[in-house]
Amino acid sequence: MKILLVEDDDVLIKVLTRSLTSHNYVVDTVKDGEMGWTYGSTFEYDLLVLDIVLPKLDGISLCKRFREQGYTMPILLLTAQDTRTVKVQGLDAGADDYVVKPFDQVELIARIRALMRRGSSNPFPLLSWGDLLLNPSTCEVNYNGQPLSLTTKEYELLELFLRDRQYVFSTDELIDRLWSSEEFPSEATVRSHIRRVRKKLADVGAPPDFIATLHGRGYYLKTMDADMGDAFTATSAFVSEEGTPTAALVNLSTVAQFQTKENSPVDSQQQYLDFLNETWATTKPKSLEQTSILLEVVHSLQDDRLSSNQQVEAQRIAHTLAGTLGIFGLSKATHLARQLEHWLAGYEPLRPEQIPLLKTLAMALQQAIQNTTTIEQSPLFDEQSPLLLLVSDDSSFNQALIMVATRCSIRVEVVSALELAPEWAEAQPQVILLRLPTGLTPTKIAEPASASHWLSALQVISHHYPSLPILVMGDRDELDDRLEVVRWGGKLFLEALMPAEQVITTVVNLLGAKTYAPKVMIVDDDHTWLSTLPSLLKPWGFKVTTLADPKQFWTVLQSVTPDVLVLDVNMPQINGFELCQILRGDPDWQQLPVLFLSVLTDAASQHQAFTVGADDYLCKPVVGGALANRILSRLHRIRACAS
Amino acid sequence: MGKRILIIDDEETIQTVVQFGIRMATGWEVLTAGSGEQGIQTAQTEKPDVILLDVMMPEMDGIATFKALQSHTETEQIPVILLTAKAQTADKCQFNDLGVSGVITKPFNSLNLPEQISRILHW
């Protein structure tokens, strides 16, 4: 777990760093608020510790800035004043907790632990997965009762995996989250740490793939057998639970990635991507060269021989780099270049205390460029990415929301409530968010006397898009307000204070299972095979429903309304071919993609499958990846036909 | 109907990618220029339907280029859309006061540019 400490008191830095590192935290320290912003907005942290009194930008303003820009990591404030005003100010600025100086170190660490718990998807003080148990307060780890002796890095790896179970961590992400921003380990270093943890786990009896590899994507904790239900529980679980927000977000990126890979060669998006890759091959060396010039500037600064011309030139280079990297969709590298540009432009002459910051940024930029061998995702969004129509006059909120939305590949179109121009009506959003200005509650707007333009905006919107989900964000959270929102056809009421990240999570959920977590229904009488499928397909973000009894086919089909159906051929009572025929005989289900998955490898069976209306035929045994790819390519085809 | 676009940006990579993306998406013709001076010349001789203009360029920046384009009778009617980084969008009002047709924020996906341009210019 990685912490950013923004503190200008050297003694306190020393004490805190020692105490935090002894608890296996990785700590980056910076000494003023502006640098705190650069580090915090550029690198990944699990928690920020900010002193309130800081040079350049005070801790409360810094905290506010992070929240306004949509950053949601926990923030702990350190304050010397034990007055109510300061505490209230801090909490209002978006801090999660504060500690008054002088403080007890044990208490500080305990509060940090509590905050980290709140931020993770796992709220329990003890972290566990199968037989593995990790106790963050004592840093002890054991498997099935046997203690594991781990190095700091190995411990951190396991803790990270346990905090975000089900999440697939790429090597880059692991580097970002577990190494200090001044260190630049290679991917091989990460791999060797993973290898050592696996070995230690295997030595105490864990399965060799306890930490599994998803090829080309990263590492994750493999689902335990106990987590898989039998056929029917999987179904009912699905019906009752529409997926957690985090799961949906992960799904979104997984699907997006696969979409780009699954495109047919004629697809323009793919061709564009190919072109970007070709161009990257020549741009990369050029960008690396430009980065080394930036590093040289840092050296000159170190030796106190940086001319102002050099600095101007360096600023220009950073600007150019940001533009170039941006067009390839390399958002992290772009952000790094922008930060460099910001520091090079804003401070003339640069001062010695800014050397470490500039050096870190330039090195991180160099590494980000170096590590980009291929452009994998189509940059930003394509036409298929969902569009959010945002009706809001709150520019700082808009900015924050757009930033988070961009990270999730959601396009945002902002309109002012006053501008009921026809342009926005041409936009084809999938979801609408209306943010009421401060002090204006839904009940107030509804009063006839108010004649607010917000009310007419809402009416126009709900009239124009009768079938779209409309979210309303407002100041107050009372029953009357919620009632008004419902009357206007609003689907959800969100509190005005909700951070941008959470809003987008809600939006992603609303956009829903249909587009972004494809529902796959699998009918097979082989219980064992069926029970492995949910975990096999999980990394691809599908919602899987399994059914072992073909007699319940129709009932389950109607309640699940899958996007894809996978059928076994040989089953008792009704075989897969017959099920497919039944399906094709119903107008509602004629379009549903059907894949057969069978042990029958002969041409006659395959021929029969296509005759009864199959879209694809796979032979068992099949690996998860192959099945997932075939499913995705079917989905893609059907989506392409629909548009 | 096919359109002709002129992009003025000092970064060759951006010119190339935008050219490819727009052609790919719509088949419109895309002309490129690497500096304000060169862009003005091309605009005068080629008379494109719209000019995409990078704001921050060495020597002659986007604003100066725009003003020069406005001062020539051959080019004053051509709509100009500025390309600018997000950090600079605070200047949006200033840009609008200048009389440009619109602003597109970097980074963008070039495949979506035609749609954005069409929306701004009501094509």
Side-chain angles (χ1 to χ4, degrees), chain A residues 271-272 320 324 381 413, chain B residues 11 24 109-112 119:
Chain A
Q271 279 185 33
Y272 181 61
T320 308
T324 310
F381 2 74
E413 172 102 28
Chain B
E11 248 318 278
M24 172 103 263
N109 180 334
S110 307
L111 286 179
N112 296 339
R119 198 176 315 137

Side-chain angles (χ1 to χ4, degrees), chain B:
Chain B
M1 205 196 77
K3 300 279 184 187
R4 299 170 83 224
I5 319 285
L6 168 64
I7 170 156
I8 308 176
D9 194 312
D10 59 314
E11 248 318 278
E12 209 185 314
T13 313
I14 295 181
Q15 292 172 26
T16 325
V17 173
V18 166
Q19 188 172 40
F20 184 89
I22 292 184
R23 278 186 186 159
M24 172 103 263
T26 55
W28 293 349
E29 189 182 340
V30 183
L31 310 161
T32 60
S35 69
E37 290 85 350
Q38 203 196 333
I40 293 165
Q41 262 183 20
T42 313
Q44 285 171 335
T45 52
E46 301 289 338
K47 308 263 170 27
D49 295 302
V50 62
I51 299 173
L52 303 180
L53 179 59
D54 184 27
V55 173
M56 200 157 146
M57 292 188 291
E59 285 144 43
M60 190 175 192
D61 69 12
I63 307 299
T65 308
F66 174 72
K67 286 183 177 155
L69 285 165
Q70 290 290 291
S71 67
H72 290 99
T73 43
E74 309 100 292
T75 51
E76 66 175 351
Q77 299 300 328
I78 306 174
V80 173
I81 297 175
L82 294 178
L83 304 178
T84 170
K86 214 169 251 163
Q88 300 156 351
T89 42
D91 310 329
K92 237 178 179 169
C93 286
Q94 181 212 326
F95 295 151
N96 283 334
D97 293 345
L98 269 176
V100 298
S101 304
V103 177
I104 291 178
T105 316
K106 283 182 178 180
F108 44 73
N109 180 334
S110 307
L111 286 179
N112 296 339
L113 274 180
E115 195 196 311
Q116 278 175 283
I117 296 170
S118 303
R119 198 176 315 137
I120 292 172
L121 300 177
H122 307 288
W123 281 355

Side-chain angles (χ1 to χ4, degrees), chain A residues 569 577 580 596 603-617:
Chain A
V569 174
F577 295 147
C580 190
F596 275 95
S605 306
Q606 300 195 13
H607 181 71
Q608 199 185 346
F610 288 111
T611 313
V612 298
D615 295 291
D616 203 348
Y617 192 103

Side-chain angles (χ1 to χ4, degrees), chain A residues 89-155:
Chain A
Q89 266 181 359
L91 294 175
D92 278 348
D96 299 279
D97 201 358
Y98 57 83
V99 171
V100 181
K101 293 195 260 189
F103 47 80
D104 176 26
Q105 285 192 43
V106 180
E107 186 193 334
L108 179 72
I109 300 280
R111 280 179 188 249
I112 287 178
R113 262 203 308 272
L115 281 180
M116 297 253 194
R117 268 206 300 279
R118 245 186 274 166
S120 91
S121 58
N122 184 346
F124 302 104
L126 287 179
L127 304 173
S128 71
W129 186 250
D131 290 329
L132 183 73
L133 194 69
L134 183 146
N135 183 345
S137 51
T138 58
C139 299
E140 284 168 339
V141 184
N142 66 64
Y143 186 88
N144 206 0
Q146 298 182 65
L148 274 150
S149 145
L150 301 170
T151 64
T152 304
K153 213 40 102 192
E154 291 162 0
Y155 173 90

